[in-house]
Amino acid sequence: MTIPGYQEFMYPFLKILSDRKEHRLQELYVLLAKEFNLSEEDIEKLLPSGNQRILHNRIGWARTYLSKAGLIQIVRRGVFQITDEGLKIVNDPSVDQIDNKFLMKYKSFQTFKQVNKDNNQPKSEPSIPSETRTPNEILEQNYNTVKDEIKEELLEQIFNCSPAFFEKLVVQLLVALGYGGSLTDAGSAIGKSGDGGIDGIIKEDILGLDMIYLQAKRWRDSVSRPEIQKFAGSLDGKKARKGVFITTSVFTEGAKEYVRLIEKKIILIDGKMLTELMFNYNVGVTSENTFIIKRVDLDYFEE
């Protein structure tokens, strides 16, 4: 039997969770394979890269989309539970399948798919019917979808770690961005009581001609102006002119306006930018596959 597409797994996935118990992803691999009467040969089939089973990949994406729509919740890594909204869907006799079109009625899913509020079309597909997209357009869209999922997972992993780990992470990120040379002499995480509101320090260059002070807030709530003012005051205590304030959440408009008005140079990095930098500079991520797009070299064929 052909392995179903990831959308076909969505409703059976949700139905299994309708007992309101916690379920592990490994358990769902087995149950959904039985649901569709997949053979051992089907179950063992791999993606072209050879790094993952097709079945696991498709069930994983079904789980991601259900989670983004708020129909299931992640209890902890690899463990899921149905939400009240998900249970409502399962108990609705008029619903017997779930796909992306169905999930688009949920605002959280629209946000995940980067819906343009003006035309209600995904930004990555502006008014382009799927059948007219080029292979390059499809590849780029799928790459961005995978990237967004990884960035979401990065944030969850950060929240699962200790505050001390997060402070070290931001120092490592700045080193990866090119500040200070090697990690050994570039900077250090401070993170002690009495550190004066400073969580880390890093050399601006390999010679240490200037120092940059760091503040790291592993928060889910937004960071407002008073927090930035405290950080600016901490820089005064260090006779410092430059600082980087990093958070896993977002900054209020008041906080952004404050750093534009003061003389000191304070860079604000929110959760979205943090995970973007981590992704681009390979902090907390590792490469799995590399696809190279080639074109015909017309110059080569010139006689």
Side-chain angles (χ1 to χ4, degrees):
M1 179 179 178
T2 304
I3 302 173
Y6 74 95
Q7 295 183 78
E8 295 176 71
F9 281 116
M10 290 181 185
Y11 186 78
F13 189 115
L14 196 63
K15 198 167 183 179
I16 291 172
L17 268 63
S18 64
D19 59 6
R20 310 212 71 164
K21 296 180 181 178
E22 295 181 2
H23 290 269
R24 295 183 176 276
L25 191 55
Q26 293 294 331
E27 172 192 356
L28 288 162
Y29 292 152
V30 175
L31 294 175
L32 287 170
K34 290 181 179 178
E35 174 75 18
F36 287 93
N37 297 314
L38 298 180
S39 65
E40 284 299 320
E41 183 181 358
D42 292 328
I43 293 171
E44 295 297 327
K45 285 181 181 176
L46 299 175
L47 293 170
S49 65
N51 290 332
Q52 188 183 26
R53 292 177 181 175
I54 295 174
L55 176 69
H56 292 186
N57 180 266
R58 292 180 180 178
I59 292 175
W61 279 109
R63 178 266 303 172
T64 295
Y65 279 39
L66 291 172
S67 174
K68 297 303 179 184
L71 303 185
I72 66 172
Q73 60 183 350
I74 302 173
V75 180
R76 54 189 177 277
R77 183 171 174 79
V79 181
F80 314 95
Q81 192 173 34
I82 198 168
T83 62
D84 290 340
E85 182 61 29
L87 196 61
K88 188 189 302 182
I89 296 302
V90 173
N91 292 332
D92 186 343
S94 66
V95 179
D96 58 4
Q97 67 176 19
I98 299 173
D99 55 19
N100 291 345
K101 184 178 180 180
F102 179 90
L103 297 179
M104 284 298 287
K105 67 180 183 179
Y106 296 101
K107 288 185 177 180
S108 58
F109 188 76
Q110 293 174 18
T111 300
F112 169 65
K113 296 292 284 183
Q114 297 180 323
V115 170
N116 187 322
K117 294 180 181 179
D118 294 332
N119 57 19
N120 206 34
Q121 292 278 349
K123 290 181 181 177
S124 57
E125 303 176 73
S127 303
I128 303 175
S130 60
E131 65 272 11
T132 66
R133 288 179 295 152
T134 66
N136 291 59
E137 289 171 327
I138 295 171
L139 182 62
E140 183 175 345
Q141 182 202 350
N142 290 339
Y143 172 80
N144 288 330
T145 300
V146 172
K147 181 179 178 180
D148 289 343
E149 168 64 13
I150 291 172
K151 289 167 64 177
E152 288 281 340
E153 189 174 348
L154 277 173
L155 273 183
E156 287 304 316
Q157 288 299 317
I158 290 171
F159 282 116
N160 290 336
C161 297
S162 67
F165 181 89
F166 181 50
E167 291 166 7
K168 291 178 182 178
L169 183 154
V170 298
V171 171
Q172 291 171 345
L173 178 59
L174 268 291
V175 171
L177 291 174
Y179 290 92
S182 69
L183 185 60
T184 303
D185 60 9
S188 62
I190 298 174
K192 304 172 185 174
S193 57
D195 62 8
I198 303 296
D199 291 327
I201 182 173
I202 194 166
K203 297 176 182 178
E204 185 174 16
D205 54 75
I206 195 168
L207 296 178
L209 295 175
D210 203 354
M211 308 302 289
I212 299 174
Y213 289 86
L214 312 175
Q215 179 72 280
K217 292 293 186 185
R218 196 182 54 148
W219 287 4
R220 294 189 186 273
D221 295 328
S222 59
V223 178
S224 58
R225 177 170 176 155
E227 290 297 327
I228 308 301
Q229 289 176 313
K230 291 177 187 176
F231 180 52
S234 299
L235 295 181
D236 285 333
K238 301 290 184 181
K239 297 182 180 180
R241 297 177 294 111
K242 300 174 182 178
V244 179
F245 197 115
I246 302 178
T247 182
T248 49
S249 60
V250 296
F251 295 98
T252 64
E253 287 304 316
K256 295 175 185 177
E257 179 65 21
Y258 176 73
V259 299
R260 287 193 289 264
L261 295 175
I262 62 176
E263 185 178 353
K264 294 183 185 65
K265 187 65 175 179
I266 297 179
I267 301 298
L268 303 181
I269 298 179
D270 61 13
K272 183 177 180 180
M273 185 176 179
L274 169 64
T275 54
E276 180 75 19
L277 291 172
M278 290 177 67
F279 185 93
N280 291 338
Y281 288 87
N282 294 315
V283 176
V285 299
T286 185
S287 297
E288 185 174 75
N289 296 308
T290 301
F291 299 94
I292 300 175
I293 305 299
K294 297 187 179 182
R295 61 175 176 81
V296 175
D297 184 357
L298 297 179
D299 292 336
Y300 174 82
F301 294 95
E302 287 288 339
E303 296 189 55

